Amino acid sequence: MSDKENKLDLWVTETHQDIVSLGFKVEDTLFSGASPYQQVDVVKTAGHGAMLLNDGIVMVSERDEFVYHEMIAHVPLFTHPNPKRVLIIGGGDGGTAREVLRHETVERAVMVEIDEMVVNACKKHIPSISHALEDPRLKLIVDDGVKYVDRCQETFDAVLIDSTDPIGPAQPLFDKTFYENVSRLLGEKGIMISQSESPFYDRQIQESMFSNQRPFFEKIHMYTFSTLTYPGGLWSFGFASRGLCPIKDFDPQRASASGIAMQYYNPEIHRAAFALPAFVSRGLSGLIDPVPL
Ligand code: SAM
């Protein structure tokens, strides 16, 4: 038998809500471990590069991670006029920190990830995403983001919630108390971005998270991006602010002149991402605010 015939046909399959599955062909397991919080796996896939899975749910793949990470970071950081201090909750793979630290204005970034195993596995096996975790402007804290924001006395220009789905330790990251604490940490022009799940599959989660945010923010919007690795192919972030508008206060000149080489984000995508499909804006009407496109 040739080597090719000998090779096992291995796939990782993520099942969402027990109704849909998404599979990726795997060539090798790079890391596998059980932390106090979750099962952590890094695999080498046949077509999507290295991939991190927490509890069997795809977190990032090298092939399309730039979309998620550019969109979580650059939309708020090119809306805020002068972002200097950024707090990241979760984000243990380091991709969000990498994009935040590409902004010259950012003097200090704090990242609070609950699971050291995720950080160490990504540092060792996915350096293309995790390399910024070594940047001296980044303070990495291994702690529960919920407890951290409750105690924290610092002020931030942007808080980016790069969390898993609302299960296990990530569940309280979608609660009222957490959002209240985040709003307390934001300066006058502060912006909070939150991972807000699938517009197709997760309407109930979105309704709950946006109504939990409403008492603490003047403006609440949602924007979308495409993804290869999350079910449904269309995903979203919530944009909540003390008053800044992601369209009126966005400075396309600053984005174009930044010199940051992007693979997905550009000024046109920034604006267009806030144009929501009719079923989404209708479904979330009253929970999110319209944007002046
Ligand atoms: N882009 C990803 C997605 O949407 O699937 C999220 C990536 S990042 C790896 C998510 C991280 O949030 C995980 O590593 C998880 O350990 C972390 N996390 C979950 N709950 C947390 C909490 N309460 N405090 C801090 N980090 C938390």
Side-chain angles (χ1 to χ4, degrees), residues 237-257:
F237 287 120
F239 178 110
S241 79
R242 285 262 156 96
L244 281 193
C245 167
I247 302 298
K248 280 202 278 189
D249 293 302
F250 169 53
D251 181 357
Q253 286 303 107
R254 198 159 62 81
S256 306

Side-chain angles (χ1 to χ4, degrees), residues 38 54 59 68 90 93 112-114 118 144-145 162-163 169-170 230:
Q38 56 213 340
N54 288 0
M59 297 285 111
Y68 180 102
D93 51 78
V112 185
E113 161 64 57
I114 202 167
V118 173
D144 184 341
D162 184 2
S163 80
Y230 301 156

Side-chain angles (χ1 to χ4, degrees), residues 179 183 186 192 213-220 240-242:
Y179 295 134
S183 75
L186 285 173
M192 176 184 81
Q213 292 176 8
R214 177 53 73 189
F216 314 110
F217 294 92
E218 195 181 316
K219 288 194 163 71
I220 297 179
S241 79
R242 285 262 156 96

Side-chain angles (χ1 to χ4, degrees), residues 65 68-70 72-74 77 86-102 111 129 132 160-162 237:
E65 56 83 14
Y68 180 102
H69 294 130
E70 289 182 11
I72 193 173
H74 302 313
L77 298 188
V86 179
L87 172 64
I88 301 164
I89 302 291
D93 51 78
T96 298
R98 182 194 65 200
E99 293 305 312
V100 164
L101 292 166
R102 295 173 84 193
M111 180 178 130
I129 302 180
L160 313 182
I161 307 163
D162 184 2
F237 287 120

